[in-house]
Amino acid sequence: MKDDQRDSNPANPKDDPLERIAVLERRVAVLTRENERLETFLAVLCHRIFGRSSEKMSPDQFSLLDTAAPAPADPGEAEPSGEDTTGRHRRSRGGRRPLPDSLPRVTREILPASTQCPCCSREMARIGQDESKQLHLVPAHAEVHVTVRPKFACRTCGELAQAPAPDDRPIERGLPTAGTIAQVVIAKYLNHMPLHRQAAHYARFGVLLATTTLYGWVEAAARDLAPIADRLLELLLRRTKIHADDTPVTVLNPGRSGTHDGRFWVYADDTRPRGGIEPSIAVFRFSAGRAGKHPGQHLAGFKGTLQADAFSGFDHLYRGGAMVEAGCLGHARRKLVDLVRAKGSPVAGEGVKQIAALYRIERRIYGLPPAERLAVRQSEAVPLLDALRTWLTERLSQVAPRSELAKALGYMNAQWDALARYAADGTLEIDNLTAERALRGIAIGRKNWNVIGSDAAGKVAAVIYSLVETCRLNGINPEAYLTDVIGRIGRTKIQALDTLLPFNWRPPDASSSADPGRMNIAPHTAAAA
């Protein structure tokens, strides 16, 4: 009797077939959404590992997306927020680049077997010539520079005379010249060649050097060059805007087993996009760990706009009001690009197209003064940003809350004020790629040297990276710069330290037409800071 009453009681939801079906359907819906989220996450992860690193979208990828959503009249190709943001700076396609005139020429003239006319036997007149060029690279070789200081003595009174020892040794009683140390430094930090590979390379032409000896040279050079890197940071903190970013590295524990995490931080200001006359600067710092206290110590005293990603370690810097946050629209775009490539998401494609229109505006105004850039942004970019904001609000209410798309849109929504701040300031950039490009050398080198030997070695690397990257931003050949400065830094007074800054430095033969200190990468107009 009780069993019959329980079976017929509709108030018990566990025994109601319809209710059980509804529960199962809800569970299936939850599991389906979770499965879709995990599939999207796996697809994005696989593309990051195995796919192309370029973020440029092809027209074929856009043709698969729904184009009915609000988008620019000519969506075209979504330009990545990378180096080529202006037509005049695009890479030239096709054609062989001419060899520089500064290279020495070795001419070989090949005459015909006979210059007599086969008909009349008269001597032929030279009427022209055909000329072809080949590039010949001379293999590296080692030299021993011997300094001889003869001694002279008076046989009558015993007086002695000898020239004083030169003070051009970068390391007291050391073996290397300044050029040798510069080559080791450039090979390690710019060409990403670890010291043990360099030692093997030098052994092939008969010079046996221990890895510890090479590191001793690098450490001594960084110790002498550290005041220049500190001075660069001092000048950078006087600016009104700084880009910041960081990247992880694995650090060994000397004398112990295991490793720990380290961080390279970069603080940079590239003035070329805004047509500035100030020199561009990039400064690196190393820390054990990623705690927010480290950027606080590095940026102590700075008052202005800090353009960075949404790292929570920067949040405490904005609370006092001395620093204002500016975001990276390229970082937000990257999350949408991943979804387009992984799942062909039409909604993400809509966002990528709208952001592409903003980047086309930036391409046109590259190199213009801040006032002109601001005027164009206010008239053209602000309406597009308003449309993007409206689209973002609508789409957030339509997507599944825990999906990867919701995370990408949620990032934009949470960071919106920082992302749109560039439109109200002509000195700011649309993204933080100035800092990301500066870290590219470390990301590439990490695949070669894998780990850093110690925290001290990380600080040594930060000094070298600061000078090498600042040279790159200002069109200076870093090897020529380091060769000269390493030889001069010990004889330079602290009051004249600014003359050795990369953008103030002039090579010894700067007056010649073939200046070895300049690279053909659109050198920046240097000005004394």
Side-chain angles (χ1 to χ4, degrees), residues 260-393:
H260 65 274
D261 293 333
R263 286 277 163 173
F264 278 111
W265 306 81
V266 65
Y267 307 99
D269 180 27
D270 188 355
T271 63
R272 292 173 296 180
R274 62 178 184 267
I277 60 173
E278 294 177 305
S280 301
I281 297 176
V283 180
F284 289 76
R285 285 293 184 263
F286 175 84
S287 68
R290 201 192 184 193
K293 65 180 181 180
H294 299 302
Q297 294 170 354
H298 302 156
L299 297 174
F302 172 65
K303 296 181 180 180
T305 303
L306 182 64
Q307 191 149 18
D309 57 19
F311 171 47
S312 59
F314 292 133
D315 291 346
H316 70 284
L317 301 177
Y318 310 129
R319 293 174 190 150
M323 299 187 202
V324 179
E325 179 184 12
C328 175
L329 196 58
H331 201 78
R333 177 189 181 275
R334 191 173 302 139
K335 299 177 182 295
L336 298 176
V337 170
D338 288 340
L339 295 174
V340 173
R341 287 176 167 172
K343 302 291 289 186
S345 170
V347 176
E350 294 172 11
V352 172
K353 289 181 180 180
Q354 295 189 59
I355 294 175
L358 295 170
Y359 271 99
R360 283 195 289 272
I361 296 174
E362 295 303 305
R363 189 192 317 163
R364 293 200 332 263
I365 63 177
Y366 183 96
L368 297 180
E372 297 182 29
R373 297 195 339 152
L374 177 60
V376 174
R377 286 172 176 174
Q378 288 293 305
S379 61
E380 300 183 30
V382 169
L384 294 179
L385 286 169
D386 292 340
L388 180 61
R389 177 63 167 169
T390 302
W391 169 85
L392 178 62
T393 304

Side-chain angles (χ1 to χ4, degrees), residues 401-424:
R402 295 186 58 197
S403 65
E404 293 297 315
L405 180 58
K407 292 180 181 179
L409 298 180
Y411 174 87
M412 291 182 61
N413 185 61
Q415 288 289 307
W416 183 258
D417 290 341
L419 294 175
R421 183 156 285 125
Y422 83 97

